[in-house]
């Protein structure tokens, strides 16, 4: 297949691109480089620009026989979305509508959407399936929820077919170290652990009064390479998955809940160094968390997570010197 990956110079998009190529597919990258890195492109065909630039989308479709689109172009920082909600609604919702209009006009009707498990309502047992109630708790999460509703409606009114992949918590890096977490000061928990470990600083567990087994938030930490493999499985199984219902959702997680304190303990074990840990209040927009117990991705797409959070930590540590050499920090 020839796959257009929007946001393909970012952390997730570049890893998905590598997984697609490893599986024998061709990729075309569209990125505005607001957070993506040119170093992750390699010799892939690149278009620099915005997903809402409909003339650019027309040109990409005219110059390439696009079989499917993987949409990884979104703002993703929860606290920032609380501070800048309009920016998130414009970027994540309005621009996606423009992209869909252009793709439909050009006859591109396979669309993989990077959604989020943050749209689920809190669950007293912290477990969810694709049928669980939805109640997004931040502007970021609401943008994902809104786009999902738009996509479902659009599949009923057009030839567009959509698979929404609800990511849980990607961590780690491409095991071959071709790309990885590119932000110098990212906000997710493993990045904070890595930064504290590197600098000999204190790691802050944000939120310790959640109703979990140890008070810290609980997450379904999925290795980013497993996540990338899920996209390959979705692309290869796309037509079968959408044969009857043109809009489908899949939870992409491991099925295991790990608390932030437990991840910090695993990090100490793998790194061999003790961490300085303190406890602080939760961040704006944070939730206790959930993890997936659904077999749908395995049953329909033949995909399941194979790598552990310990492997993700090892790969993330291995990425640090490569990132320093590649990106300068």
């Amino acid at each position: 297949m020839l796959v257009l990956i929007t946001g393909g110079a970012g952390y997730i998009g570049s890893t998905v691109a590598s997984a697609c190529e490893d599986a024998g597919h061709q990729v075309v990258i569209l990125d505005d480089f607001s957070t993506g890195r040119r170093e992750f492109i390699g010799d892939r065909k690149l278009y620099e620009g915005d997903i809402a630039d409909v003339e650019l989308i027309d040109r990409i479709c005219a110059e390439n026989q696009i079989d499917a689109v993987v949409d990884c172009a979104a703002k993703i920082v929860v606290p920032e979305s609380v501070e800048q909600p309009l920016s998130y609604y414009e970027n994540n919702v309005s621009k996606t509508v423009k992209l869909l209009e252009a793709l439909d006009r050009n006859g591109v009707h396979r669309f993989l959407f990077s959604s989020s498990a943050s749209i689920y309502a809190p669950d007293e047992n912290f477990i969810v399936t694709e049928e669980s109630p939805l109640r997004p708790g931040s502007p970021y999460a609401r943008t994902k929820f809104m786009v999902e509703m738009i996509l479902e409606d659009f599949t009923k009114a057009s030839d567009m077919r959509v698979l929404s992949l609800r990511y849980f918590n990607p961590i780690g890096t491409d095991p071959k170290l071709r790309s990885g977490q590119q932000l110098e000061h990212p906000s997710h928990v493993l990045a904070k652990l890595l930064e504290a470990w590197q600098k000999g600083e204190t790691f802050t567990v944000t939120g310790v009064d959640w109703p979990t087994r140890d008070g810290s938030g609980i997450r379904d930490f999925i290795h980013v390479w497993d996540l990338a493999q899920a996209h390959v499985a979705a692309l290869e199984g796309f037509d079968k998955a959408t044969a009857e219902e043109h809009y489908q959702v899949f939870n992409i997680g491991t099925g295991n809940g790990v608390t932030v304190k437990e991840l910090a303990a695993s990090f100490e074990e793998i790194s061999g160094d003790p961490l300085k840990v303190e406890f602080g209040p939760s961040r704006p927009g944070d939730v206790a968390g959930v993890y997936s117990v659904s077999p749908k991705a395995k049953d329909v797409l033949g995909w399941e997570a194979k790598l552990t959070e310990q492997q993700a930590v090892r790969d993330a540590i291995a990425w640090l010197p490569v990132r320093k050499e590649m990106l300068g920090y």
Side-chain angles (χ1 to χ4, degrees), residues 2 45 47 58-65:
L2 178 57
K45 192 170 186 178
Y47 292 85
D58 288 344
R59 181 162 70 90
I60 292 171
C61 293
E63 295 176 357
N64 306 273
Q65 190 62 45

Side-chain angles (χ1 to χ4, degrees), residues 4-238:
L4 172 63
I5 304 177
T6 70
Y11 172 48
I12 302 295
S14 63
T15 311
V16 171
S18 294
C20 286
E21 289 178 334
D22 286 358
H25 304 293
Q26 295 177 285
V27 300
V28 174
I29 304 301
L30 171 60
D31 204 293
D32 66 0
F33 294 101
S34 56
T35 58
R37 296 293 306 217
R38 296 181 189 278
E39 294 87 346
F40 295 169
I41 299 298
D43 59 359
R44 294 164 185 157
K45 192 170 186 178
L46 167 68
Y47 292 85
E48 182 174 355
D50 195 288
I51 63 170
D53 184 343
V54 295
E55 292 183 356
L56 176 58
I57 302 301
D58 288 344
R59 181 162 70 90
I60 292 171
C61 293
E63 295 176 357
N64 306 273
Q65 190 62 45
I66 303 296
D67 294 303
V69 175
V70 176
D71 182 27
C72 296
K75 291 177 176 286
I76 62 171
V77 180
V78 171
E80 182 183 67
S81 79
V82 176
E83 297 171 357
Q84 304 174 28
L86 293 183
S87 173
Y88 271 68
Y89 286 116
E90 178 188 17
N91 190 84
N92 293 3
V93 182
S94 299
K95 290 185 178 183
T96 302
V97 170
K98 293 291 187 184
L99 173 64
L100 290 166
E101 289 173 340
L103 293 174
D104 185 50
R105 184 175 63 253
N106 283 281
V108 179
H109 293 131
R110 296 185 185 96
F111 193 80
L112 263 66
F113 177 57
S114 300
S115 191
S116 171
S118 64
I119 70 174
Y120 286 111
D123 181 88
E124 63 179 8
N125 296 312
F126 309 107
I127 58 175
V128 293
T129 71
E130 287 84 356
E131 306 303 319
S132 295
L134 306 178
R135 195 170 80 225
S138 69
Y140 160 72
R142 283 189 278 276
T143 66
K144 293 296 184 180
F145 181 42
M146 290 177 72
V147 173
E148 280 207 19
M149 291 190 293
I150 290 167
L151 290 170
E152 184 171 12
D153 287 343
F154 192 45
T155 60
K156 295 174 182 177
S158 70
D159 293 326
M160 188 67 70
R161 291 176 289 159
V162 175
L163 299 182
S164 283
L165 307 185
R166 291 175 180 165
Y167 301 177
F168 280 72
N169 298 85
I171 59 173
T173 195
D174 173 6
K176 295 181 180 179
L177 305 178
R178 290 167 287 191
S179 62
Q181 177 55 252
Q182 83 282 17
L183 301 179
E184 188 169 6
H185 301 292
S187 62
H188 70 272
V189 61
L190 180 53
K192 292 294 188 183
L193 281 165
L194 288 164
E195 190 171 38
W197 175 67
Q198 279 186 293
K199 297 180 178 179
E201 297 176 349
T202 299
F203 170 69
T204 302
V205 178
T206 53
V208 290
D209 56 357
W210 300 110
T212 60
R213 54 180 169 261
D214 62 17
S216 64
I218 194 166
R219 304 287 184 263
D220 190 335
F221 292 109
I222 179 170
H223 197 300
V224 70
W225 189 247
D226 273 335
L227 180 71
Q229 293 296 327
H231 290 75
V232 175
L235 288 166
E236 294 177 349
F238 193 100

